[in-house]
Amino acid sequence: MDHSHMDHSHMDHAGMDHGDGGHGGMAMCKMNMLFTWDTTNLCIVFRQWHVTGTASLIFSLLAIVAICAGYEALREGTRRYELWLSTKDASYNNDDSNHVEQGQEQVAETTPFLGIERIGSGAGNSAEAPISQRARIVKAVLYGVQNFYAFMIMLLFMTYNGFVMIAVAVGAGLGYYLFGSHTRATKETACH
């Protein structure tokens, strides 16, 4: 139906309370699908993480740098746990040709995280110590936490805000400088 012919200009709407839309006076979060430098009504991952001014933007960017550096610390901690397990495994085998000195193993992005080849081959070979169930559980938990952490960082980046993107990159670089200096700087995957 076409209602364009109806004239409502004579109606007084001044006394009507349309409310705040159920937002309690708080400005709505803007979700950008294109790159922007605008921080007006910027919400970072959660509605509660709302940037309301310059101070909250600076604190948010510092928090993002810390979060991303923390991810690199987690990755390094996981690498060290893997190295500790392989050193423990090598000392169990007491094989001098395969003995790994502490800190001498080259851990890279392509190094198997869960040690699948050792788990599969250890069952039939009595000379090789199988990875304990506890170690497998710890590694599985660390792997899950790393993936969750990586995807949360991806969501930070997907605000498409230039300031947030730079904070993610600075945090990753700082984290690598502080925690990842024992590994190569190249990465095999984009997210984790």
Side-chain angles (χ1 to χ4, degrees), residues 110-174:
T110 56
T111 303
F113 179 69
L114 293 176
I116 298 299
E117 74 285 345
R118 290 187 310 202
I119 295 168
S121 63
N125 187 358
S126 61
E128 186 175 336
I131 296 175
S132 72
Q133 186 67 19
R134 180 175 175 218
R136 289 181 65 197
I137 290 171
V138 168
K139 290 190 324 182
V141 168
L142 288 171
Y143 185 77
V145 170
Q146 272 189 349
N147 275 285
F148 177 80
Y149 211 149
F151 285 116
M152 289 304 290
I153 291 172
M154 179 190 69
L155 290 176
L156 289 171
F157 206 84
M158 287 180 62
T159 61
Y160 298 105
N161 184 280
F163 296 112
V164 174
M165 291 175 162
I166 289 171
V168 168
V170 167
L174 181 65

Side-chain angles (χ1 to χ4, degrees), residues 13 29 31 35 38 47 51 54 78-80 85 100 106 112 145-146 162 168 185:
H13 294 207
C29 295
M31 183 175 169
F35 179 81
D38 184 23
R47 185 179 321 124
V51 174
T54 304
T78 302
R79 284 185 209 101
R80 289 182 185 205
L85 282 178
V100 178
Q106 179 65 17
V145 170
Q146 272 189 349
V168 168

Side-chain angles (χ1 to χ4, degrees), residues 54-95:
T54 304
S56 65
L57 175 65
I58 291 169
F59 285 122
S60 294
L61 295 177
L62 291 173
I64 291 168
V65 167
I67 288 168
C68 294
Y71 174 68
E72 291 299 322
L74 174 65
R75 291 181 67 221
E76 179 62 19
T78 302
R79 284 185 209 101
R80 289 182 185 205
Y81 182 70
E82 281 282 314
L83 182 61
W84 177 78
L85 282 178
S86 66
T87 303
K88 181 179 168 184
D89 186 38
S91 66
Y92 176 81
N93 287 336
N94 199 18
D95 182 5

